[in-house]
Amino acid sequence: ARKCDKNENVLTIFKSPRIWGALLGELIGTMVIMMFLLTLGFAQPLYLIFAMIAVYVVIAGLSGANLNPLITVGMMATRRMSAIRGVLYILAQVLGAWIGLIIVNAFRLGSDTVSELPMMAEITGETFWAVALVELLGAVILAFCFARSLRFVRKSPLTFAFAIAGAMTLVVIVGTIIAQGYFGFADSFMFNPAAALMYQILPTTADGIGELASMAGLALAAYVVIPMIGGVIGFYISDVVTRLSAGGYRCDDDFICEA
């Protein structure tokens, strides 16, 4: 069922200045997250969690704090967001991630000791499905938790931010355990297509144009396309579970609970 404004389209969306505030919120939020990822990465998880909470609390009231194309695609697929708003959000997220990369790169190149920016694991035919499955699983979990937390966006942004930060922590832990424990490689997951595009996922060298195109296609599929599919799956699972539970599980004052 449609959950967004059915009258919102390319002809009406720009009539209200609120869309610009939402787009700026998505841009700034994704930019800050990108800067945190490029400087802290997953090596400093505690700092990253508190940074994520701060960003989501601040941006929630502006745009709903998607800050991730896989979330926006899931919102569009389950009709929580109009197609035009979703496309604009994704463009703002990619632009924000790019600006974050530029800022970090400017500081990096301006320092006396130039350090390398972090890179994702190179995708090959042998590792593609392992990376893709980790990305898919993480995206489904993240999207499901986001969909279940949407009720708190307006009435309790802090609760919403803690829920999303907790979901991100969960998917990072799951991704790390599966990637390192079962497949033996690290730096192989991102769970954010906008950030992944700026995280040097695309190959720069190959034996030929055909091999370069094949490697680029595998990287885009693993880090961009499959997470978006996972986002759609996560949102649909949330809708199905919500409908089946008919509003949820409730307890009275005597702690007698029933569905």
Side-chain angles (χ1 to χ4, degrees):
R2 183 186 294 274
K3 307 171 188 67
C4 63
D5 182 3
K6 64 180 181 180
N7 296 318
E8 186 173 82
N9 54 57
V10 70
L11 299 177
T12 62
I13 192 170
F14 295 108
K15 291 183 178 180
S16 171
R18 294 181 63 183
I19 183 62
W20 298 110
L23 293 178
L24 284 174
E26 289 293 310
L27 186 150
I28 294 170
T30 310
M31 178 192 73
V32 174
I33 288 176
M34 188 69 207
M35 293 171 63
F36 282 135
L37 288 173
L38 288 173
T39 52
L40 296 177
F42 296 125
Q44 302 288 341
L46 186 61
Y47 293 147
L48 190 60
I49 289 171
F50 283 108
M52 292 290 185
I53 291 173
V55 171
Y56 275 90
V57 168
V58 171
I59 304 299
L62 296 174
S63 64
N66 287 192
L67 308 182
N68 191 330
L70 75 85
I71 297 296
T72 302
V73 169
M75 296 272 286
M76 294 166 62
T78 53
R79 308 184 81 180
R80 287 175 168 85
M81 182 179 292
S82 66
I84 181 60
R85 180 179 288 268
V87 170
L88 291 174
Y89 270 34
I90 292 174
L91 291 176
Q93 291 157 6
V94 173
L95 180 60
W98 180 61
I99 294 173
L101 172 65
I102 290 176
I103 293 173
V104 172
N105 212 25
F107 282 108
R108 181 181 70 91
L109 296 177
S111 64
D112 295 332
T113 57
V114 179
S115 58
E116 293 294 328
L117 287 176
M119 297 181 65
M120 302 298 291
E122 183 177 301
I123 300 295
T124 64
E126 297 178 354
T127 62
F128 171 77
W129 287 111
V131 174
L133 288 174
V134 172
E135 286 280 338
L136 180 66
L137 177 62
V140 170
I141 295 173
L142 185 59
F144 176 81
C145 293
F146 192 98
R148 297 298 303 151
S149 304
L150 279 173
R151 69 188 70 181
F152 302 112
V153 171
R154 297 292 182 185
K155 63 181 181 181
S156 182
L158 186 60
T159 302
F160 169 73
F162 269 100
I164 302 306
M168 289 181 176
T169 304
L170 174 62
V171 298
V172 169
I173 292 173
V174 171
T176 301
I177 291 174
I178 294 177
Q180 295 185 2
Y182 294 98
F183 299 111
F185 50 77
D187 300 324
S188 57
F189 52 84
M190 179 58 62
F191 311 120
N192 188 323
L197 285 172
M198 307 302 157
Y199 223 76
Q200 303 188 39
I201 65 168
L202 298 178
T204 56
T205 58
D207 293 335
I209 297 296
E211 182 179 355
L212 184 65
S214 176
M215 293 170 63
L218 289 175
L220 289 173
Y223 292 121
V224 177
V225 177
I226 288 179
M228 289 185 176
I229 295 174
V232 174
I233 294 173
F235 269 88
Y236 270 114
I237 291 175
S238 175
D239 279 358
V240 171
V241 170
T242 301
R243 179 59 62 88
L244 292 177
S245 66
Y249 194 69
R250 297 180 176 86
C251 299
D252 59 21
D253 295 337
D254 296 324
F255 298 99
I256 299 175
C257 304
E258 61 180 8

